[in-house]
Amino acid sequence: MEKKLILLGLLQSREMHCYRIIEFLDGSEALPVTLKKANVYRLLADMEKDGWLTHFSEQEGNRPQRKVYTVTEAGRKAYKDLLRQSLSSYPRPEFPGICGLDFTSSLPQEEVVSLLEKKLGLMEAKYRELDTIPSEIRNSHLCIEYMHRFYKHEIEWLKEVIST
Amino acid sequence: MEKKLILLGLLQSREMHCYRIIEFLDGSEALPVTLKKANVYRLLADMEKDGWLTHFSEQEGNRPQRKVYTVTEAGRKAYKDLLRQSLSSYPRPEFPGICGLDFTSSLPQEEVVSLLEKKLGLMEAKYRELDTIPSEIRNSHLCIEYMHRFYKHEIEWLKEVIST
DNA sequence: TAGAGCATGTAATATGTTACATGATTCC
DNA sequence: GGAATCATGTAACATATTACATGCTCTA
C-alpha cells in the first residue's frame, strides 16, 4: 500500500493534521500516485485503528477542531515493512490512457489524428510542469526524475504514432 | 472509462458470455489495465442497465445458464464517445511501484540494493513475456508495442538507479 | 451585510478485489 | 468413489471519488 507508505513517510518528518497534509500533497503534481482528500482522511483513520498513528486534538481560534497525527512505534515498524515491500515488488503498472489506441480503426483517420494531437498537448503541459522543477531537486527525488523521463518518452512515442 | 471501452470493443467483434470474456482477457498479460472477474460481471450488468447491452440466456447441457451479451445501437454510440474521449484525454498515469524510491534513506544501502534487484528481476520477467509475442502482432497492437517499450525503459532506468 | 471563499471534515456513491457457493466433469 | 478442478457466478469487503455540510473570516 504505497499511499500509506507516503503518509507515514510524511508524518515521520513532522506531525501534521489531515488538512495540512492534503495541502502539501495537492500542490505537488509530482506525486506518483493520486491521493485525494476524502481518501486521505480514511487512510489516516484506518492507520490509527491499526495502531500506527495516534492523534491529539488542537484548536485554533474558533476554527473546527483538528486532529494532529503522530506516528507510533508500531507505525515506524509498519513503515519499514511497507518500504521493503515497495522496493522489492513490482505491481502491475496501468496505462488507461492508451487503451483507445487499439481501436483507432473505428474512426476516420483524420479525426484520430486530431484527437491524438489534443492528447499530445496535455502530455506536453505535464512535461513542462515537471521541467520547471529545478534539476537539483529532481536529482534528489527519484520519483520526480522518474516522471520527468516518463513524460519525455511518452511524448516522443505519441508523436511517432501520430505520424503513422 | 477505459474498461467499458475495452469490453464494448470486444463484444462488438463477437457476442460473448462473461466467462468467455474473462477467459479471453485473463490470458493476455498484454492488457494495459486490470480487468478482474467480479468487476467484469458488474461492468456488464451496469452497461446493460444503461441500455448499451442486451443479453439472451443460453444453456449447455446441465451447465449453469449463462448470459450472452450483445451490443445495442446505443452501445455502439457510447463506444464511439468513449473512444473519442480516450484518444483525446490524458488521465494521470500512476506509478505505485516507484513510491518507495524517495525513502531509501530509511534503510541501509546494501539492503536497498538487494531489494531493488528483486524488483528488477520481476520487471525483466514481464519484459520477456512481452518480448516473446511475435513482432508482427506487436506492430498491429499499439498497446502491446507501448508496453514492450515501457518495460524496456523501466529496466534501463532501474539498473541505472541501482548502480548509484 | 451579503456573498465569496477558506478551513475542516463527513456522507453518499462508485469502483474494484477476495472469498465463497454450487453443480458438473474428469482423474486417479 | 473421493478429490481436484472446471464452469459459472454472487456476496462481502476494501478502496476511492464526488457531493455535501458548517462555521468562520474577509472583502466589496
Side-chain angles (χ1 to χ4, degrees), chain B residues 63-109:
Chain B
R63 292 283 166 67
Q65 272 212 346
R66 56 202 188 188
K67 297 180 181 174
V68 178
Y69 285 97
T70 319
V71 180
T72 65
E73 195 45 51
R76 274 187 289 276
K77 169 87 166 48
Y79 164 78
K80 289 209 173 184
D81 289 349
L82 288 177
L83 179 53
R84 288 200 179 88
Q85 209 203 317
S86 169
L87 289 174
S88 64
S89 73
Y90 188 52
R92 186 168 178 28
E94 303 246 332
F95 313 99
I98 63 159
C99 295
L101 289 175
D102 271 356
F103 299 109
T104 49
S105 56
S106 307
L107 292 176
Q109 179 107 35

Side-chain angles (χ1 to χ4, degrees), chain A residues 70-151:
Chain A
T70 319
V71 180
T72 64
E73 196 44 53
R76 274 187 289 277
K77 169 87 167 48
Y79 165 79
K80 289 210 175 183
D81 289 349
L82 287 178
L83 179 54
R84 288 200 179 87
Q85 210 203 316
S86 168
L87 289 174
S88 64
S89 73
Y90 188 53
R92 186 167 178 28
E94 303 245 332
F95 313 99
I98 63 160
C99 294
L101 289 175
D102 272 355
F103 298 110
T104 48
S105 57
S106 308
L107 293 176
Q109 180 107 34
E110 320 84 51
E111 188 179 2
V112 169
V113 169
S114 94
L115 293 168
L116 289 179
E117 268 158 6
K118 193 165 161 208
K119 187 196 283 275
L120 182 60
L122 297 171
M123 277 183 191
E124 288 174 333
K126 283 278 188 196
Y127 178 73
R128 274 197 303 277
E129 210 171 310
L130 286 177
D131 205 39
T132 57
I133 297 175
S135 63
E136 53 289 13
I137 292 189
R138 283 216 314 269
N139 287 331
S140 63
H141 285 273
L142 282 174
C143 286
I144 301 182
E145 172 66 11
Y146 175 93
M147 285 196 282
H148 186 254
R149 292 198 194 193
F150 173 79
Y151 286 121

Side-chain angles (χ1 to χ4, degrees), chain B residues 17 19 37-38 41 65-67:
Chain B
H17 57 100
Y19 191 85
K37 203 159 57 100
Y41 277 101
Q65 272 212 346
R66 56 202 188 188
K67 297 180 181 174

Side-chain angles (χ1 to χ4, degrees), chain A residues 17 19 37-38 41 65-67:
Chain A
H17 58 99
Y19 191 85
K37 203 159 57 101
Y41 279 100
Q65 271 212 348
R66 55 202 190 188
K67 298 180 180 173

